[in-house]
Amino acid sequence: MELWTSYLLPLPHEIHIADSVRCKPGGVGIVLRDQAGPIEQQGAVELEALFIEKGKAKPDGGAFTIYIGVAPANSAAIERLQSLQNKAQAYLIEPRGRDGLVLTGLDERGVYYACQTLIQLLEPEMSSEQVHIPLAEVIDWPDMDERGLWNFPEPATWIPWLATLKLNYGKMASTQLHPIERGRRNRATIDREQFEAAQQRAFNYLPYILHLNFLHDCGLFRAYPELAGKGDGALTGRYFAHKTGNQHRAPCASQPLLVQIIQEWMEDIAEQGAEEISCWLSERPGQCGCLECTAVGQFVLESRAFVAAWRQAQKRYPNLQIRIFLSTTTTVRNYRVLDELPPEVKIERACATELERVLHRPRDLMANPLLDYYAAEGRWIASYDVPIAANG
Ligand SMILES: [Zn+2]
């Protein structure tokens, strides 16, 4: 049992292996349920690939059968999985006699994770001579809805690998906001090929709209000088990763024109198949000095602009969701941003402050009373750790 579990990362919540069987890789058959969706199919394809690559045989035999698929209505499996946390990603593996294993879940995502667990169990001992199959009983679910990385290289190789570890989130660094031209509709392009490949692996490769104080990079202030934040207070400096070039400048976020530009980007991204967009507030402290902006506050207005644009975009793309990425270097008026964001808007932030570190064994805690309060109420909040003081 210990040997089996040493093959697994992450370790399932509940796993029991009392027995195992051995047979030729070619003696194993994989049976996918009728009407399996693309994510279930992907799980089966990856399991089959293991047999072909390491077992040197196509798994279409009859000595041992692996059944893969979402659980049928009213089945006992549904009953057992229904009450679990993040149940759409939960799964169950159980033996069917001594010559079969059932891999199932409430949703395709769970089925995909069941396949990953079985692949991890079979891979170390698989050879062309033999496959050692545990008659495993597993029930598993993730503690957190979303798990993954903000920055990572080579999505075409990293996403399939991350997915095998049951990680399901990555920022789409290649999201492109096209140069802004006055009077023209604004355009954005996502990496559709990788987006769809990720989707098949139950992985959210999430497009985003850049920090609003970086939009001079897209020509915002050249096209619309009136949208430049007023005064030196709107200058938002540079940080560690942006040592050269002009200082960033926050936009004048009280103007409806900003909403329209964001809306057009959102619609373009949704048109390409994405159902969620990460929306980045200005990254550093800054405040447009015009009367309307100073009365409300930069970050409150930027959040409102994203929400207003999203409401417009939802008229054509009703399933579109957004998440707001809070500034990484200031908490100015976060309490107001959190207070007025609609509950279905997710919140994400990077944890970059020494102040939030609380000594704790075995691992320090990062505590933030405001965010912790909302999280305890059930609000969806993601936190990305970055090296302390990386933002200088
Ligand atoms: Zn302003």
Side-chain angles (χ1 to χ4, degrees):
M1 175 76 184
E2 258 175 49
L3 186 66
W4 286 117
T5 54
S6 71
Y7 297 158
L8 294 170
L9 188 68
L11 200 59
H13 278 277
E14 295 176 19
I15 178 164
H16 180 69
I17 300 173
D19 204 357
S20 61
V21 296
R22 294 170 195 271
C23 65
K24 293 266 186 200
V28 175
I30 295 177
V31 175
L32 187 61
R33 79 166 169 122
D34 291 341
Q35 277 106 39
I39 302 174
E40 288 164 286
Q41 288 176 30
Q42 179 66 28
V45 162
E46 291 179 30
L47 184 60
E48 188 177 274
L50 172 69
F51 278 85
I52 292 168
E53 282 158 29
K54 248 197 132 180
K56 309 292 179 202
K58 201 169 163 52
D60 53 10
F64 191 96
T65 307
I66 300 167
Y67 302 90
I68 298 175
V70 167
N74 303 320
S75 60
I78 287 194
E79 196 112 312
R80 290 169 75 188
L81 294 169
Q82 199 66 253
S83 60
L84 299 175
Q85 234 180 324
N86 303 309
K87 62 184 178 184
Q89 299 180 56
Y91 66 91
L92 181 148
I93 299 176
E94 62 184 358
R96 183 175 285 184
R98 288 188 55 79
D99 58 3
L101 269 183
V102 176
L103 277 57
T104 193
L106 300 175
D107 181 282
E108 289 190 50
R109 287 169 283 177
V111 174
Y112 182 76
Y113 290 142
C115 293
Q116 297 310 322
T117 294
L118 186 61
I119 289 169
Q120 288 184 9
L121 287 168
L122 299 184
E123 200 269 337
E125 296 185 44
M126 171 96 71
S127 72
S128 58
E129 294 299 307
Q130 181 178 273
V131 53
H132 186 194
I133 306 171
L135 297 174
E137 295 169 56
V138 184
I139 296 185
D140 193 20
W141 65 95
D143 292 321
M144 286 185 282
D145 173 43
E146 199 174 88
R147 312 158 300 280
L149 296 179
W150 189 263
N151 291 320
F152 59 95
E154 298 171 24
T157 50
W158 272 58
I159 291 173
W161 172 62
L162 293 169
T164 67
L165 300 172
K166 305 191 177 87
L167 298 175
N168 65 349
Y169 163 83
K171 180 196 74 187
M172 187 189 286
S174 56
T175 310
Q176 283 181 325
L177 304 177
H178 294 209
I180 298 164
E181 291 179 53
R182 192 171 183 91
R184 294 269 185 87
R185 187 176 171 86
N186 291 287
R187 295 287 174 200
T189 304
I190 69 168
D191 182 348
R192 207 161 170 172
E193 190 184 335
Q194 291 309 323
F195 175 78
E196 286 167 6
Q199 240 181 353
Q200 253 180 321
R201 292 171 170 83
F203 190 98
N204 188 10
Y205 190 38
L206 188 67
Y208 68 98
I209 293 174
L210 187 66
H211 290 299
L212 295 185
N213 63 322
F214 290 6
L215 293 185
H216 58 91
D217 289 345
C218 307
L220 177 66
F221 305 147
R222 189 189 58 236
Y224 299 105
E226 63 272 34
L227 281 182
K230 311 293 180 292
D232 285 352
L235 286 172
T236 46
R238 307 179 186 96
Y239 73 104
F240 196 69
H242 298 250
K243 282 178 187 161
T244 57
N246 291 333
Q247 283 211 54
H248 301 304
R249 181 180 283 277
C252 178
S254 57
Q255 298 192 38
L257 179 57
L258 183 65
V259 175
Q260 189 193 326
I261 293 168
I262 295 170
Q263 177 196 334
E264 289 170 357
W265 279 331
M266 285 180 174
E267 287 174 345
D268 238 20
I269 291 170
E271 182 63 33
Q272 291 161 69
E275 291 196 335
E276 192 179 6
I277 303 169
S278 171
C279 302
W280 296 12
L281 304 185
S282 284
E283 191 166 44
R284 287 181 65 95
Q287 176 63 58
C288 171
C290 85
L291 212 56
E292 281 174 71
C293 287
T294 45
V296 181
Q298 187 69 33
F299 299 98
V300 178
L301 285 170
E302 290 185 6
S303 306
R304 283 184 193 172
F306 277 123
V307 170
W310 168 57
R311 293 289 190 213
Q312 289 299 319
Q314 269 190 318
K315 290 179 183 168
R316 280 178 61 193
Y317 304 95
N319 294 331
L320 184 67
Q321 292 294 309
I322 59 166
R323 52 179 74 185
I324 295 286
F325 180 34
L326 302 175
S327 168
T328 57
T329 59
T330 174
T331 56
V332 173
R333 300 201 194 185
N334 268 0
Y335 74 101
R336 287 195 52 190
V337 172
L338 289 161
D339 177 51
E340 65 176 71
L341 281 180
E344 65 270 37
V345 173
K346 297 176 181 176
I347 294 158
E348 53 189 7
R349 52 82 72 135
C351 179
T353 163
E354 186 67 45
L355 292 175
E356 296 183 357
R357 181 180 287 265
V358 178
L359 295 179
H360 176 265
R361 284 178 189 274
R363 192 169 178 266
D364 290 353
L365 304 176
M366 288 304 203
N368 177 309
L370 182 68
L371 295 174
D372 292 347
Y373 174 82
Y374 279 96
E377 281 196 328
R379 184 99 202 197
W380 196 102
I381 301 179
S383 188
Y384 309 93
D385 282 0
V386 297
I388 299 301
N391 285 357

